[in-house]
Amino acid sequence: MAPLFPALDTLQKTFGTGPSPNPAKPTTNACTPLEARLELYPAFSIADDAKSKAKKLSEEASREFNAASKKAQSKTGNIELYSGKYYAACTFGGLLACGLTHTAVTPLDLVKTRRQIDSKLYSGNFQAWRHILRTDGLRGIFVGWSPTLVGYSAQGAFKYGCYEYFKKTYADIAGPEAAHRYKTALYLSASASAEFLADIALCPFEAIKVRMQGTIPSQYSGTLNGLSTITAAEGVSGLYKGLYPLWGRQIPYTMMKFASFETIVEMIYARLPGSKSDYSKGAQTGVAFAGGYLAGILCAIVSHPADVMVSKLNAYRKAGEGFGAVTSRIYKDIGFKGLWNGLPVRIVMIGTLTGLQWMIYDSFKIFMGLPTTGGAAPPENKEHS
């Protein structure tokens, strides 16, 4: 029986030889009509070049960080958890975290403070910055940076160092089982205790900062001038007349900051595959920033009414006027709605601030060879158990 289709050699004799059934693979430089020619798309090559350079810079920065970290650790020696060196490292990490970040956001803080004192002064944040730049220049945007740097560096040192100390001390008192079961209460009590002390260090510089930012032009030329002027006119007590509202603002803020951060970071790692130790140092600091930013939003909302009162009190409290009397007078002037003046800008400021603080703090702990905060608990040191 004849085949249904003609044989291949018959077709070739009739129509000629077509392409080979197994054509050779085109060379690297050859391209088909439908193939993209990279030389016609320079943006792609520029992007690839930028990615390559960024990767090289990242690798180089990582190598330098690791080299500097090893050098620092060789000088300090092995730092045992919960030892004196451990708390000293945490104290210095807190100093860096709070001092640098608060100083960096001085322009935000300046506008927030002035709008809290006088809500009609500016129509918006951007309008405020444009006005200040036109009238006072770049220097005017950073009014109050020096008391901010000194005050919040001191506050950060006490806040983070004491938090680590109180967290360990209270956990030892409660015992391992109770400390784990009531860990949120542990975070809240340890952070409240730490902030109580930290605000005593912060208060004089916060008073100078608020007065410098709240008056136009600024009534002090700098931190030392503010200290000498206030103590000469009002005594040392003049530096602490805002301590109660500062406690009212900062203690709830810090309790929310530490407890929510620890909880959020623990939740993030619980939803990620593997354990915290499986992730690189860079990934862990990324988690610290994300957890800190979310915690900062909650902090801003909880502490904002007291923040408004601190700004008003330092600007408007009369000599010899009692705390209850001035608080009542200010509330009568601004009402409940006035307690929330400047909240949007403070949410942005505190969210960014808190995220960066936790990232810097945990980066410094990594630099010193210590475990990052939150997530899986570090292994217990037998000598301190």
Side-chain angles (χ1 to χ4, degrees), residues 249-287:
R249 179 189 79 184
Q250 288 297 128
I251 290 178
Y253 165 86
T254 301
M255 291 170 73
M256 179 64 74
K257 173 180 178 176
F258 282 85
S260 59
F261 173 79
E262 297 255 19
T263 303
I264 290 168
V265 168
E266 185 177 343
M267 290 171 65
I268 291 174
Y269 282 117
R271 282 159 177 76
L272 291 173
S275 61
K276 176 182 175 181
S277 58
D278 296 330
Y279 292 89
S280 66
K281 297 171 184 177
Q284 289 188 29
T285 54
V287 170

PDB file of all heavy atoms in Angstrom, residues 249-287:
ATOM      1  N   ARG A 249       4.135  62.801  78.870  1.00  0.00           N
ATOM      2  CA  ARG A 249       4.297  62.559  77.432  1.00  0.00           C
ATOM      3  C   ARG A 249       5.212  61.372  77.162  1.00  0.00           C
ATOM      4  O   ARG A 249       4.894  60.486  76.370  1.00  0.00           O
ATOM      5  CB  ARG A 249       4.877  63.808  76.759  1.00  0.00           C
ATOM      6  CG  ARG A 249       5.099  63.659  75.265  1.00  0.00           C
ATOM      7  CD  ARG A 249       5.888  64.839  74.694  1.00  0.00           C
ATOM      8  NE  ARG A 249       7.323  64.726  74.950  1.00  0.00           N
ATOM      9  CZ  ARG A 249       8.214  65.668  74.612  1.00  0.00           C
ATOM     10  NH1 ARG A 249       7.803  66.802  74.044  1.00  0.00           N
ATOM     11  NH2 ARG A 249       9.490  65.503  74.858  1.00  0.00           N
ATOM     12  N   GLN A 250       6.353  61.358  77.801  1.00  0.00           N
ATOM     13  CA  GLN A 250       7.415  60.413  77.447  1.00  0.00           C
ATOM     14  C   GLN A 250       7.225  59.006  78.013  1.00  0.00           C
ATOM     15  O   GLN A 250       7.604  58.030  77.363  1.00  0.00           O
ATOM     16  CB  GLN A 250       8.772  60.960  77.902  1.00  0.00           C
ATOM     17  CG  GLN A 250       9.280  62.134  77.072  1.00  0.00           C
ATOM     18  CD  GLN A 250       9.526  61.771  75.616  1.00  0.00           C
ATOM     19  OE1 GLN A 250       9.030  62.438  74.718  1.00  0.00           O
ATOM     20  NE2 GLN A 250      10.269  60.705  75.377  1.00  0.00           N
ATOM     21  N   ILE A 251       6.673  58.895  79.209  1.00  0.00           N
ATOM     22  CA  ILE A 251       6.536  57.555  79.796  1.00  0.00           C
ATOM     23  C   ILE A 251       5.531  56.707  79.004  1.00  0.00           C
ATOM     24  O   ILE A 251       5.847  55.578  78.610  1.00  0.00           O
ATOM     25  CB  ILE A 251       6.198  57.624  81.296  1.00  0.00           C
ATOM     26  CG1 ILE A 251       7.426  58.143  82.070  1.00  0.00           C
ATOM     27  CG2 ILE A 251       5.787  56.252  81.835  1.00  0.00           C
ATOM     28  CD1 ILE A 251       7.213  58.308  83.565  1.00  0.00           C
ATOM     29  N   PRO A 252       4.313  57.217  78.706  1.00  0.00           N
ATOM     30  CA  PRO A 252       3.423  56.422  77.833  1.00  0.00           C
ATOM     31  C   PRO A 252       4.030  56.185  76.450  1.00  0.00           C
ATOM     32  O   PRO A 252       3.878  55.099  75.877  1.00  0.00           O
ATOM     33  CB  PRO A 252       2.156  57.282  77.732  1.00  0.00           C
ATOM     34  CG  PRO A 252       2.194  58.163  78.915  1.00  0.00           C
ATOM     35  CD  PRO A 252       3.638  58.439  79.175  1.00  0.00           C
ATOM     36  N   TYR A 253       4.720  57.194  75.919  1.00  0.00           N
ATOM     37  CA  TYR A 253       5.368  57.063  74.614  1.00  0.00           C
ATOM     38  C   TYR A 253       6.388  55.918  74.629  1.00  0.00           C
ATOM     39  O   TYR A 253       6.395  55.058  73.736  1.00  0.00           O
ATOM     40  CB  TYR A 253       6.055  58.382  74.269  1.00  0.00           C
ATOM     41  CG  TYR A 253       7.060  58.300  73.147  1.00  0.00           C
ATOM     42  CD1 TYR A 253       6.674  58.428  71.819  1.00  0.00           C
ATOM     43  CD2 TYR A 253       8.418  58.113  73.415  1.00  0.00           C
ATOM     44  CE1 TYR A 253       7.598  58.354  70.789  1.00  0.00           C
ATOM     45  CE2 TYR A 253       9.349  58.031  72.392  1.00  0.00           C
ATOM     46  CZ  TYR A 253       8.934  58.154  71.085  1.00  0.00           C
ATOM     47  OH  TYR A 253       9.859  58.078  70.075  1.00  0.00           O
ATOM     48  N   THR A 254       7.241  55.887  75.638  1.00  0.00           N
ATOM     49  CA  THR A 254       8.292  54.879  75.693  1.00  0.00           C
ATOM     50  C   THR A 254       7.726  53.492  75.999  1.00  0.00           C
ATOM     51  O   THR A 254       8.216  52.491  75.472  1.00  0.00           O
ATOM     52  CB  THR A 254       9.352  55.271  76.741  1.00  0.00           C
ATOM     53  OG1 THR A 254       9.890  56.555  76.379  1.00  0.00           O
ATOM     54  CG2 THR A 254      10.480  54.262  76.805  1.00  0.00           C
ATOM     55  N   MET A 255       6.719  53.437  76.842  1.00  0.00           N
ATOM     56  CA  MET A 255       6.070  52.145  77.107  1.00  0.00           C
ATOM     57  C   MET A 255       5.506  51.568  75.809  1.00  0.00           C
ATOM     58  O   MET A 255       5.678  50.377  75.517  1.00  0.00           O
ATOM     59  CB  MET A 255       4.960  52.327  78.148  1.00  0.00           C
ATOM     60  CG  MET A 255       5.472  52.649  79.548  1.00  0.00           C
ATOM     61  SD  MET A 255       4.148  53.130  80.692  1.00  0.00           S
ATOM     62  CE  MET A 255       3.363  51.538  80.961  1.00  0.00           C
ATOM     63  N   MET A 256       4.846  52.399  75.025  1.00  0.00           N
ATOM     64  CA  MET A 256       4.314  51.946  73.745  1.00  0.00           C
ATOM     65  C   MET A 256       5.447  51.616  72.778  1.00  0.00           C
ATOM     66  O   MET A 256       5.391  50.614  72.043  1.00  0.00           O
ATOM     67  CB  MET A 256       3.412  53.030  73.143  1.00  0.00           C
ATOM     68  CG  MET A 256       2.811  52.675  71.797  1.00  0.00           C
ATOM     69  SD  MET A 256       1.680  51.278  71.870  1.00  0.00           S
ATOM     70  CE  MET A 256       0.256  52.065  72.649  1.00  0.00           C
ATOM     71  N   LYS A 257       6.500  52.427  72.796  1.00  0.00           N
ATOM     72  CA  LYS A 257       7.627  52.247  71.878  1.00  0.00           C
ATOM     73  C   LYS A 257       8.304  50.897  72.062  1.00  0.00           C
ATOM     74  O   LYS A 257       8.555  50.170  71.092  1.00  0.00           O
ATOM     75  CB  LYS A 257       8.639  53.383  72.094  1.00  0.00           C
ATOM     76  CG  LYS A 257       9.939  53.234  71.320  1.00  0.00           C
ATOM     77  CD  LYS A 257      10.856  54.409  71.622  1.00  0.00           C
ATOM     78  CE  LYS A 257      12.185  54.293  70.912  1.00  0.00           C
ATOM     79  NZ  LYS A 257      13.034  55.489  71.130  1.00  0.00           N
ATOM     80  N   PHE A 258       8.606  50.538  73.289  1.00  0.00           N
ATOM     81  CA  PHE A 258       9.347  49.302  73.543  1.00  0.00           C
ATOM     82  C   PHE A 258       8.441  48.073  73.500  1.00  0.00           C
ATOM     83  O   PHE A 258       8.806  47.057  72.900  1.00  0.00           O
ATOM     84  CB  PHE A 258      10.078  49.389  74.880  1.00  0.00           C
ATOM     85  CG  PHE A 258      11.335  50.209  74.832  1.00  0.00           C
ATOM     86  CD1 PHE A 258      11.306  51.583  74.978  1.00  0.00           C
ATOM     87  CD2 PHE A 258      12.567  49.605  74.624  1.00  0.00           C
ATOM     88  CE1 PHE A 258      12.455  52.344  74.919  1.00  0.00           C
ATOM     89  CE2 PHE A 258      13.731  50.354  74.570  1.00  0.00           C
ATOM     90  CZ  PHE A 258      13.677  51.727  74.712  1.00  0.00           C
ATOM     91  N   ALA A 259       7.279  48.165  74.127  1.00  0.00           N
ATOM     92  CA  ALA A 259       6.395  46.994  74.173  1.00  0.00           C
ATOM     93  C   ALA A 259       5.864  46.643  72.787  1.00  0.00           C
ATOM     94  O   ALA A 259       5.851  45.472  72.395  1.00  0.00           O
ATOM     95  CB  ALA A 259       5.239  47.245  75.141  1.00  0.00           C
ATOM     96  N   SER A 260       5.441  47.658  72.029  1.00  0.00           N
ATOM     97  CA  SER A 260       4.906  47.377  70.691  1.00  0.00           C
ATOM     98  C   SER A 260       6.020  46.932  69.748  1.00  0.00           C
ATOM     99  O   SER A 260       5.809  46.052  68.905  1.00  0.00           O
ATOM    100  CB  SER A 260       4.178  48.601  70.131  1.00  0.00           C
ATOM    101  OG  SER A 260       5.042  49.713  70.042  1.00  0.00           O
ATOM    102  N   PHE A 261       7.206  47.512  69.880  1.00  0.00           N
ATOM    103  CA  PHE A 261       8.320  47.094  69.033  1.00  0.00           C
ATOM    104  C   PHE A 261       8.665  45.620  69.268  1.00  0.00           C
ATOM    105  O   PHE A 261       8.789  44.847  68.315  1.00  0.00           O
ATOM    106  CB  PHE A 261       9.555  47.956  69.303  1.00  0.00           C
ATOM    107  CG  PHE A 261      10.788  47.473  68.576  1.00  0.00           C
ATOM    108  CD1 PHE A 261      10.976  47.760  67.238  1.00  0.00           C
ATOM    109  CD2 PHE A 261      11.749  46.718  69.237  1.00  0.00           C
ATOM    110  CE1 PHE A 261      12.102  47.305  66.560  1.00  0.00           C
ATOM    111  CE2 PHE A 261      12.877  46.250  68.564  1.00  0.00           C
ATOM    112  CZ  PHE A 261      13.046  46.546  67.228  1.00  0.00           C
ATOM    113  N   GLU A 262       8.828  45.248  70.519  1.00  0.00           N
ATOM    114  CA  GLU A 262       9.170  43.852  70.827  1.00  0.00           C
ATOM    115  C   GLU A 262       8.088  42.911  70.294  1.00  0.00           C
ATOM    116  O   GLU A 262       8.389  41.849  69.731  1.00  0.00           O
ATOM    117  CB  GLU A 262       9.330  43.680  72.340  1.00  0.00           C
ATOM    118  CG  GLU A 262      10.456  44.497  72.972  1.00  0.00           C
ATOM    119  CD  GLU A 262      11.658  43.644  73.341  1.00  0.00           C
ATOM    120  OE1 GLU A 262      11.780  42.531  72.807  1.00  0.00           O
ATOM    121  OE2 GLU A 262      12.471  44.115  74.162  1.00  0.00           O
ATOM    122  N   THR A 263       6.836  43.295  70.460  1.00  0.00           N
ATOM    123  CA  THR A 263       5.721  42.453  70.009  1.00  0.00           C
ATOM    124  C   THR A 263       5.657  42.376  68.490  1.00  0.00           C
ATOM    125  O   THR A 263       5.467  41.293  67.913  1.00  0.00           O
ATOM    126  CB  THR A 263       4.394  42.998  70.562  1.00  0.00           C
ATOM    127  OG1 THR A 263       4.467  43.072  71.993  1.00  0.00           O
ATOM    128  CG2 THR A 263       3.234  42.102  70.177  1.00  0.00           C
ATOM    129  N   ILE A 264       5.803  43.521  67.805  1.00  0.00           N
ATOM    130  CA  ILE A 264       5.729  43.548  66.346  1.00  0.00           C
ATOM    131  C   ILE A 264       6.867  42.737  65.731  1.00  0.00           C
ATOM    132  O   ILE A 264       6.655  41.961  64.789  1.00  0.00           O
ATOM    133  CB  ILE A 264       5.754  45.003  65.834  1.00  0.00           C
ATOM    134  CG1 ILE A 264       4.440  45.711  66.190  1.00  0.00           C
ATOM    135  CG2 ILE A 264       5.981  45.052  64.320  1.00  0.00           C
ATOM    136  CD1 ILE A 264       4.468  47.214  65.980  1.00  0.00           C
ATOM    137  N   VAL A 265       8.076  42.909  66.249  1.00  0.00           N
ATOM    138  CA  VAL A 265       9.224  42.164  65.711  1.00  0.00           C
ATOM    139  C   VAL A 265       9.032  40.663  65.914  1.00  0.00           C
ATOM    140  O   VAL A 265       9.322  39.856  65.023  1.00  0.00           O
ATOM    141  CB  VAL A 265      10.534  42.657  66.368  1.00  0.00           C
ATOM    142  CG1 VAL A 265      11.693  41.703  66.060  1.00  0.00           C
ATOM    143  CG2 VAL A 265      10.877  44.051  65.884  1.00  0.00           C
ATOM    144  N   GLU A 266       8.524  40.301  67.072  1.00  0.00           N
ATOM    145  CA  GLU A 266       8.253  38.880  67.337  1.00  0.00           C
ATOM    146  C   GLU A 266       7.218  38.336  66.350  1.00  0.00           C
ATOM    147  O   GLU A 266       7.354  37.217  65.836  1.00  0.00           O
ATOM    148  CB  GLU A 266       7.750  38.712  68.773  1.00  0.00           C
ATOM    149  CG  GLU A 266       7.563  37.264  69.185  1.00  0.00           C
ATOM    150  CD  GLU A 266       7.139  37.132  70.648  1.00  0.00           C
ATOM    151  OE1 GLU A 266       7.306  38.101  71.407  1.00  0.00           O
ATOM    152  OE2 GLU A 266       6.635  36.064  71.009  1.00  0.00           O
ATOM    153  N   MET A 267       6.188  39.135  66.048  1.00  0.00           N
ATOM    154  CA  MET A 267       5.161  38.717  65.092  1.00  0.00           C
ATOM    155  C   MET A 267       5.730  38.593  63.676  1.00  0.00           C
ATOM    156  O   MET A 267       5.373  37.689  62.932  1.00  0.00           O
ATOM    157  CB  MET A 267       4.005  39.722  65.111  1.00  0.00           C
ATOM    158  CG  MET A 267       3.177  39.697  66.385  1.00  0.00           C
ATOM    159  SD  MET A 267       1.999  41.075  66.467  1.00  0.00           S
ATOM    160  CE  MET A 267       0.925  40.675  65.085  1.00  0.00           C
ATOM    161  N   ILE A 268       6.624  39.511  63.300  1.00  0.00           N
ATOM    162  CA  ILE A 268       7.231  39.456  61.968  1.00  0.00           C
ATOM    163  C   ILE A 268       8.035  38.174  61.799  1.00  0.00           C
ATOM    164  O   ILE A 268       7.880  37.449  60.804  1.00  0.00           O
ATOM    165  CB  ILE A 268       8.132  40.693  61.725  1.00  0.00           C
ATOM    166  CG1 ILE A 268       7.273  41.956  61.608  1.00  0.00           C
ATOM    167  CG2 ILE A 268       8.975  40.502  60.460  1.00  0.00           C
ATOM    168  CD1 ILE A 268       8.077  43.245  61.517  1.00  0.00           C
ATOM    169  N   TYR A 269       8.875  37.867  62.774  1.00  0.00           N
ATOM    170  CA  TYR A 269       9.696  36.654  62.672  1.00  0.00           C
ATOM    171  C   TYR A 269       8.841  35.387  62.753  1.00  0.00           C
ATOM    172  O   TYR A 269       9.174  34.371  62.132  1.00  0.00           O
ATOM    173  CB  TYR A 269      10.758  36.642  63.765  1.00  0.00           C
ATOM    174  CG  TYR A 269      11.944  37.539  63.471  1.00  0.00           C
ATOM    175  CD1 TYR A 269      12.243  38.625  64.285  1.00  0.00           C
ATOM    176  CD2 TYR A 269      12.751  37.307  62.360  1.00  0.00           C
ATOM    177  CE1 TYR A 269      13.326  39.460  64.010  1.00  0.00           C
ATOM    178  CE2 TYR A 269      13.833  38.142  62.071  1.00  0.00           C
ATOM    179  CZ  TYR A 269      14.115  39.211  62.905  1.00  0.00           C
ATOM    180  OH  TYR A 269      15.179  40.023  62.614  1.00  0.00           O
ATOM    181  N   ALA A 270       7.743  35.458  63.487  1.00  0.00           N
ATOM    182  CA  ALA A 270       6.871  34.284  63.600  1.00  0.00           C
ATOM    183  C   ALA A 270       6.212  33.963  62.260  1.00  0.00           C
ATOM    184  O   ALA A 270       5.878  32.794  61.994  1.00  0.00           O
ATOM    185  CB  ALA A 270       5.801  34.524  64.663  1.00  0.00           C
ATOM    186  N   ARG A 271       6.022  34.974  61.408  1.00  0.00           N
ATOM    187  CA  ARG A 271       5.366  34.773  60.112  1.00  0.00           C
ATOM    188  C   ARG A 271       6.356  34.550  58.971  1.00  0.00           C
ATOM    189  O   ARG A 271       5.946  34.251  57.853  1.00  0.00           O
ATOM    190  CB  ARG A 271       4.460  35.973  59.811  1.00  0.00           C
ATOM    191  CG  ARG A 271       3.151  35.909  60.586  1.00  0.00           C
ATOM    192  CD  ARG A 271       2.473  37.256  60.709  1.00  0.00           C
ATOM    193  NE  ARG A 271       1.191  37.134  61.398  1.00  0.00           N
ATOM    194  CZ  ARG A 271       1.070  36.965  62.702  1.00  0.00           C
ATOM    195  NH1 ARG A 271       2.142  36.855  63.481  1.00  0.00           N
ATOM    196  NH2 ARG A 271      -0.137  36.877  63.259  1.00  0.00           N
ATOM    197  N   LEU A 272       7.638  34.724  59.247  1.00  0.00           N
ATOM    198  CA  LEU A 272       8.655  34.463  58.242  1.00  0.00           C
ATOM    199  C   LEU A 272       9.113  33.014  58.327  1.00  0.00           C
ATOM    200  O   LEU A 272       9.109  32.429  59.410  1.00  0.00           O
ATOM    201  CB  LEU A 272       9.857  35.394  58.452  1.00  0.00           C
ATOM    202  CG  LEU A 272       9.646  36.884  58.160  1.00  0.00           C
ATOM    203  CD1 LEU A 272      10.879  37.678  58.573  1.00  0.00           C
ATOM    204  CD2 LEU A 272       9.341  37.112  56.687  1.00  0.00           C
ATOM    205  N   PRO A 273       9.513  32.429  57.203  1.00  0.00           N
ATOM    206  CA  PRO A 273      10.024  31.055  57.263  1.00  0.00           C
ATOM    207  C   PRO A 273      11.348  30.993  58.016  1.00  0.00           C
ATOM    208  O   PRO A 273      12.159  31.917  57.933  1.00  0.00           O
ATOM    209  CB  PRO A 273      10.217  30.685  55.780  1.00  0.00           C
ATOM    210  CG  PRO A 273      10.340  31.989  55.068  1.00  0.00           C
ATOM    211  CD  PRO A 273       9.496  32.957  55.830  1.00  0.00           C
ATOM    212  N   GLY A 274      11.550  29.924  58.767  1.00  0.00           N
ATOM    213  CA  GLY A 274      12.781  29.769  59.528  1.00  0.00           C
ATOM    214  C   GLY A 274      12.746  30.584  60.808  1.00  0.00           C
ATOM    215  O   GLY A 274      11.714  31.126  61.220  1.00  0.00           O
ATOM    216  N   SER A 275      13.890  30.695  61.460  1.00  0.00           N
ATOM    217  CA  SER A 275      14.005  31.439  62.713  1.00  0.00           C
ATOM    218  C   SER A 275      14.800  32.721  62.487  1.00  0.00           C
ATOM    219  O   SER A 275      15.380  32.936  61.415  1.00  0.00           O
ATOM    220  CB  SER A 275      14.696  30.580  63.773  1.00  0.00           C
ATOM    221  OG  SER A 275      16.000  30.231  63.346  1.00  0.00           O
ATOM    222  N   LYS A 276      14.839  33.565  63.495  1.00  0.00           N
ATOM    223  CA  LYS A 276      15.532  34.851  63.394  1.00  0.00           C
ATOM    224  C   LYS A 276      17.006  34.665  63.038  1.00  0.00           C
ATOM    225  O   LYS A 276      17.566  35.422  62.235  1.00  0.00           O
ATOM    226  CB  LYS A 276      15.394  35.593  64.719  1.00  0.00           C
ATOM    227  CG  LYS A 276      16.153  36.906  64.790  1.00  0.00           C
ATOM    228  CD  LYS A 276      15.993  37.538  66.163  1.00  0.00           C
ATOM    229  CE  LYS A 276      16.853  38.785  66.292  1.00  0.00           C
ATOM    230  NZ  LYS A 276      16.723  39.404  67.633  1.00  0.00           N
ATOM    231  N   SER A 277      17.643  33.658  63.601  1.00  0.00           N
ATOM    232  CA  SER A 277      19.070  33.422  63.373  1.00  0.00           C
ATOM    233  C   SER A 277      19.381  33.034  61.923  1.00  0.00           C
ATOM    234  O   SER A 277      20.535  33.108  61.493  1.00  0.00           O
ATOM    235  CB  SER A 277      19.590  32.337  64.321  1.00  0.00           C
ATOM    236  OG  SER A 277      18.865  31.136  64.130  1.00  0.00           O
ATOM    237  N   ASP A 278      18.358  32.638  61.146  1.00  0.00           N
ATOM    238  CA  ASP A 278      18.562  32.263  59.751  1.00  0.00           C
ATOM    239  C   ASP A 278      18.759  33.479  58.846  1.00  0.00           C
ATOM    240  O   ASP A 278      19.195  33.332  57.699  1.00  0.00           O
ATOM    241  CB  ASP A 278      17.376  31.448  59.225  1.00  0.00           C
ATOM    242  CG  ASP A 278      17.223  30.112  59.946  1.00  0.00           C
ATOM    243  OD1 ASP A 278      18.253  29.571  60.388  1.00  0.00           O
ATOM    244  OD2 ASP A 278      16.084  29.632  60.073  1.00  0.00           O
ATOM    245  N   TYR A 279      18.425  34.672  59.352  1.00  0.00           N
ATOM    246  CA  TYR A 279      18.452  35.864  58.525  1.00  0.00           C
ATOM    247  C   TYR A 279      19.745  36.654  58.738  1.00  0.00           C
ATOM    248  O   TYR A 279      20.324  36.646  59.826  1.00  0.00           O
ATOM    249  CB  TYR A 279      17.231  36.742  58.813  1.00  0.00           C
ATOM    250  CG  TYR A 279      15.946  36.078  58.359  1.00  0.00           C
ATOM    251  CD1 TYR A 279      15.239  35.237  59.209  1.00  0.00           C
ATOM    252  CD2 TYR A 279      15.486  36.248  57.060  1.00  0.00           C
ATOM    253  CE1 TYR A 279      14.092  34.600  58.787  1.00  0.00           C
ATOM    254  CE2 TYR A 279      14.330  35.624  56.630  1.00  0.00           C
ATOM    255  CZ  TYR A 279      13.645  34.799  57.492  1.00  0.00           C
ATOM    256  OH  TYR A 279      12.503  34.159  57.060  1.00  0.00           O
ATOM    257  N   SER A 280      20.174  37.332  57.676  1.00  0.00           N
ATOM    258  CA  SER A 280      21.429  38.086  57.717  1.00  0.00           C
ATOM    259  C   SER A 280      21.301  39.300  58.634  1.00  0.00           C
ATOM    260  O   SER A 280      20.203  39.690  59.045  1.00  0.00           O
ATOM    261  CB  SER A 280      21.799  38.546  56.308  1.00  0.00           C
ATOM    262  OG  SER A 280      20.841  39.490  55.833  1.00  0.00           O
ATOM    263  N   LYS A 281      22.446  39.930  58.901  1.00  0.00           N
ATOM    264  CA  LYS A 281      22.454  41.129  59.739  1.00  0.00           C
ATOM    265  C   LYS A 281      21.652  42.248  59.092  1.00  0.00           C
ATOM    266  O   LYS A 281      20.916  42.971  59.765  1.00  0.00           O
ATOM    267  CB  LYS A 281      23.898  41.574  59.977  1.00  0.00           C
ATOM    268  CG  LYS A 281      24.740  40.560  60.740  1.00  0.00           C
ATOM    269  CD  LYS A 281      26.196  40.955  60.754  1.00  0.00           C
ATOM    270  CE  LYS A 281      27.044  39.890  61.443  1.00  0.00           C
ATOM    271  NZ  LYS A 281      28.497  40.240  61.401  1.00  0.00           N
ATOM    272  N   GLY A 282      21.816  42.382  57.760  1.00  0.00           N
ATOM    273  CA  GLY A 282      21.070  43.416  57.052  1.00  0.00           C
ATOM    274  C   GLY A 282      19.572  43.195  57.127  1.00  0.00           C
ATOM    275  O   GLY A 282      18.803  44.140  57.306  1.00  0.00           O
ATOM    276  N   ALA A 283      19.145  41.941  56.997  1.00  0.00           N
ATOM    277  CA  ALA A 283      17.713  41.627  57.082  1.00  0.00           C
ATOM    278  C   ALA A 283      17.179  41.917  58.488  1.00  0.00           C
ATOM    279  O   ALA A 283      16.067  42.432  58.643  1.00  0.00           O
ATOM    280  CB  ALA A 283      17.480  40.164  56.720  1.00  0.00           C
ATOM    281  N   GLN A 284      17.956  41.613  59.502  1.00  0.00           N
ATOM    282  CA  GLN A 284      17.517  41.855  60.877  1.00  0.00           C
ATOM    283  C   GLN A 284      17.383  43.349  61.168  1.00  0.00           C
ATOM    284  O   GLN A 284      16.447  43.770  61.858  1.00  0.00           O
ATOM    285  CB  GLN A 284      18.487  41.204  61.861  1.00  0.00           C
ATOM    286  CG  GLN A 284      18.420  39.682  61.865  1.00  0.00           C
ATOM    287  CD  GLN A 284      19.249  39.057  62.977  1.00  0.00           C
ATOM    288  OE1 GLN A 284      19.442  39.640  64.029  1.00  0.00           O
ATOM    289  NE2 GLN A 284      19.752  37.864  62.727  1.00  0.00           N
ATOM    290  N   THR A 285      18.299  44.167  60.647  1.00  0.00           N
ATOM    291  CA  THR A 285      18.157  45.613  60.844  1.00  0.00           C
ATOM    292  C   THR A 285      16.971  46.161  60.041  1.00  0.00           C
ATOM    293  O   THR A 285      16.327  47.124  60.455  1.00  0.00           O
ATOM    294  CB  THR A 285      19.443  46.354  60.443  1.00  0.00           C
ATOM    295  OG1 THR A 285      19.811  45.997  59.093  1.00  0.00           O
ATOM    296  CG2 THR A 285      20.581  46.017  61.380  1.00  0.00           C
ATOM    297  N   GLY A 286      16.671  45.527  58.891  1.00  0.00           N
ATOM    298  CA  GLY A 286      15.481  45.911  58.126  1.00  0.00           C
ATOM    299  C   GLY A 286      14.207  45.636  58.900  1.00  0.00           C
ATOM    300  O   GLY A 286      13.281  46.457  58.921  1.00  0.00           O
ATOM    301  N   VAL A 287      14.156  44.496  59.556  1.00  0.00           N
ATOM    302  CA  VAL A 287      13.012  44.160  60.411  1.00  0.00           C
ATOM    303  C   VAL A 287      12.923  45.151  61.568  1.00  0.00           C
ATOM    304  O   VAL A 287      11.829  45.587  61.957  1.00  0.00           O
ATOM    305  CB  VAL A 287      13.125  42.716  60.937  1.00  0.00           C
ATOM    306  CG1 VAL A 287      12.084  42.443  62.022  1.00  0.00           C
ATOM    307  CG2 VAL A 287      12.968  41.717  59.797  1.00  0.00           C
TER     308      VAL A 287
END
